[in-house]
Amino acid sequence: MSMLDVEAIRKDFPILSRQVYGKPLVYLDNAATSQKPRCVIQALVEYYEGYNSNIHRGVHALSMEATERYEAARQKCADFIGSPSTDGVILVRNTTEAINLVARTWARSNIGPGDEILLTEMEHHSNLVPWQQVAQEQGAVLRFIPLTPEQTLDLSDMDRLLNSRTRLVALTHVSNALGTINPVKELGRAAHRVGARILVDGAQSVPHLKVDVQDMGCDFLAFSGHKMLGPTGIGVLYVKQEVVERMEPFLRGGDMVREVWYDKATWNDLPMRFEAGTPNIADTIALGAAIDYLQSLGMEVVREHEIAITQHALDAFQELERVQVFGPGDVAQRGGIISFFCSDVHPHDLGTVLDREGIAIRAGHHCAMPLMRKLGVPATARASFYVYNTEEEVDILVDALKRALRYFARTPNGTRGG
Ligand code: PLP
């Protein structure tokens, strides 16, 4: 039994009452993006209908109102992750941009030839490809923490992997492709012992469990608004105070400067120094509304709900023959994500069949192609849960899977028959 009043929550999300192919929508693709409650949609409408204007530069009422609400939303982001200050709460487009910002600024001044960046074998492309560029351009070396057979991090060789040449450990808190929760706090301590910094990709954790940057001890934390009930186009990069104070600007132009001459410029205060040009005002304010909504539920309760629903799913999936579920068996070590594979049928075919029943899941490489190769599968199918999902929806998924798998098992080579 969940402590969330899921039926009441569902009424806050207009999209959940729609049908797909004449069936009620069962939305289980939350790791890709979440749905939006009415208060978030309303915040966008209120901004555009009520006080749309540019921020930080206006002397008129509308501009001051917009500035106030934009900065209030930044404060909500800071409070949500336990950041003691807003200096290091930089508003960006998404997790991807946040990580690129670190790679284009901090890494340029702090990583040189022969230095090492320690990643894991389960990283999203967003936390891999930017570091490949740093490695190529600056002569750094990428190392990878391998996986155990249960797809958790294998930390047995850490003494070699994390050493005096390591400048940065960058890893995901919760894997979007496996569901595994990684021990970021312990890894942060270990990183700091060798003088390295730690970047946590919080895209799949900040929306789902209580994340406190001070308790976690991370230097950088990246996350996206659209996965936490907020709009697309807005994300956050948190940077620890002592680090952000010494970081060079990323993009240059209006708003990020204090004084400009024809041949030079000085930089604005933190964090505006990292927000060149007109920012995403409306979506930032709406992200603030999403955070208010999550806070009203309570992140501990959100996590409990997801543990309950994930346990229910793990149990139900055991009834499915020949289906491999990735990630640890212990629900305490996983987020609300079930990634699975059945050799009888390509995940895309499975996704297509489920779609006809109104069930939205993800099928593909989940932006983790090297991981798929490691797992020896072309892709996986993935169901991912959030505050509005019910155990009943999990049962609908599993029943549909049973039917689909029976059907595909009868057809040769796992391809669909005529
Ligand atoms: N990292 C992880 C673990 C993710 O799941 C995602 C989203 O798919 C990202 C990074 C990238 O997020 P975004 O596409 O919002 O930049």
Side-chain angles (χ1 to χ4, degrees):
M1 255 293 287
S2 158
M3 290 171 69
L4 285 183
D5 184 352
V6 178
E7 283 318 307
I9 289 173
R10 290 182 70 83
K11 293 199 178 78
D12 295 333
F13 291 77
I15 207 170
L16 295 181
S17 56
R18 73 160 279 180
Q19 301 209 323
V20 175
Y21 306 116
K23 305 266 174 60
L25 168 65
V26 175
Y27 187 77
L28 300 175
D29 194 17
N30 294 286
T33 201
S34 66
Q35 298 303 343
K36 321 303 172 197
R38 201 172 277 104
C39 62
V40 167
I41 300 163
Q42 203 53 40
L44 294 170
V45 173
E46 278 168 15
Y47 168 74
Y48 285 119
E49 288 189 351
Y51 58 99
N52 169 56
S53 54
N54 215 325
I55 57 165
H56 292 151
R57 31 186 120 168
V59 291
H60 57 81
L62 264 48
S63 174
M64 287 187 280
E65 207 172 316
T67 303
E68 214 167 278
R69 301 232 196 158
Y70 178 84
E71 290 304 328
R74 188 199 305 281
Q75 184 65 55
K76 286 173 192 183
C77 294
D79 294 343
F80 193 62
I81 56 169
S83 172
S85 148
T86 52
D87 281 2
V89 176
I90 302 166
L91 296 163
V92 293
R93 275 190 303 154
N94 47 38
T95 303
T96 306
E97 184 176 312
I99 296 171
N100 274 275
L101 196 159
V102 179
R104 301 281 87 203
T105 60
W106 179 86
R108 284 221 162 139
S109 352
N110 288 279
I111 295 180
D115 286 347
E116 297 183 5
I117 300 170
L118 182 57
L119 309 172
T120 81
E121 286 183 345
M122 63 170 87
E123 294 313 310
H124 188 283
H125 296 160
S126 293
N127 194 35
L128 170 59
V129 181
W131 306 120
Q132 292 174 345
Q133 189 183 11
V134 170
Q136 278 155 17
E137 292 181 359
Q138 292 158 232
V141 177
L142 301 185
R143 297 210 180 279
F144 297 88
I145 303 176
L147 305 184
T148 65
E150 236 197 353
Q151 291 96 38
T152 59
L153 294 181
D154 178 352
L155 302 176
S156 59
D157 200 19
M158 282 304 280
D159 287 345
R160 189 180 62 83
L161 288 171
L162 184 63
N163 58 62
S164 59
R165 289 184 303 278
T166 312
R167 290 285 162 273
L168 179 71
V169 177
L171 82 160
T172 192
H173 190 177
V174 175
S175 162
N176 65 306
L178 301 165
T180 310
I181 300 180
N182 291 321
V184 285
K185 188 173 174 176
E186 290 72 13
L187 286 168
R189 283 208 205 100
H192 292 149
R193 270 199 296 276
V194 299
R197 298 285 180 189
I198 182 162
L199 177 146
V200 174
D201 173 350
Q204 298 294 345
S205 64
V206 173
H208 300 274
L209 36 103
K210 178 96 199 103
V211 169
D212 184 301
V213 289
Q214 293 187 86
D215 177 60
M216 190 193 274
C218 60
D219 300 293
F220 306 97
L221 174 72
F223 58 99
S224 297
H226 70 92
K227 294 184 200 281
M228 53 191 285
L229 311 181
T232 52
I234 185 68
V236 176
L237 170 66
Y238 158 84
V239 187
K240 191 190 273 177
Q241 187 81 28
E242 69 190 52
V243 181
V244 77
E245 279 171 0
R246 280 183 273 151
M247 259 165 61
E248 282 294 310
F250 173 40
L251 302 174
R252 290 152 200 252
D255 250 24
M256 54 76 67
V257 283
R258 167 156 302 129
E259 256 198 286
V260 182
W261 295 265
Y262 281 119
D263 59 345
K264 61 182 195 284
T266 57
W267 311 140
N268 199 345
D269 293 334
L270 291 167
M272 271 87 78
R273 189 182 304 169
F274 294 98
E275 293 175 11
T278 301
N280 190 344
I281 304 165
D283 293 319
T284 302
I285 293 167
L287 173 58
I291 289 174
D292 286 344
Y293 189 90
L294 285 171
Q295 295 278 39
S296 75
L297 302 177
M299 289 310 289
E300 282 83 4
V301 182
V302 168
R303 171 72 180 140
E304 272 173 39
H305 173 70
E306 285 182 27
I307 285 182
I309 206 163
T310 306
Q311 184 65 63
H312 183 79
L314 286 174
D315 294 342
F317 266 72
Q318 291 202 333
E319 297 166 22
L320 299 172
E321 280 166 38
R322 292 146 57 89
V323 169
Q324 182 187 3
V325 174
F326 296 102
D330 176 8
V331 75
Q333 282 188 63
R334 42 190 315 149
I337 290 172
I338 305 279
S339 187
F340 58 99
F341 183 74
C342 175
S343 57
D344 294 345
V345 48
H346 193 285
H348 283 143
D349 290 337
L350 210 47
T352 305
V353 169
L354 293 177
D355 177 50
R356 300 304 299 195
E357 308 219 15
I359 305 169
I361 62 156
R362 186 73 144 204
H365 53 66
H366 315 293
C367 294
M369 283 174 159
L371 173 64
M372 294 297 121
R373 278 184 212 109
K374 205 87 206 173
L375 299 175
V377 296
T380 79
R382 179 187 72 187
S384 51
F385 315 122
Y386 212 3
V387 291
Y388 35 71
N389 288 124
T390 63
E391 295 186 2
E392 190 189 350
E393 287 180 306
V394 173
D395 296 339
I396 293 170
L397 167 71
V398 172
D399 285 346
L401 279 172
K402 279 182 193 160
R403 283 195 302 276
L405 292 171
R406 267 200 302 274
Y407 174 73
F408 283 115
R410 285 200 304 269
T411 59
N413 307 324
T415 56
R416 252 175 296 164

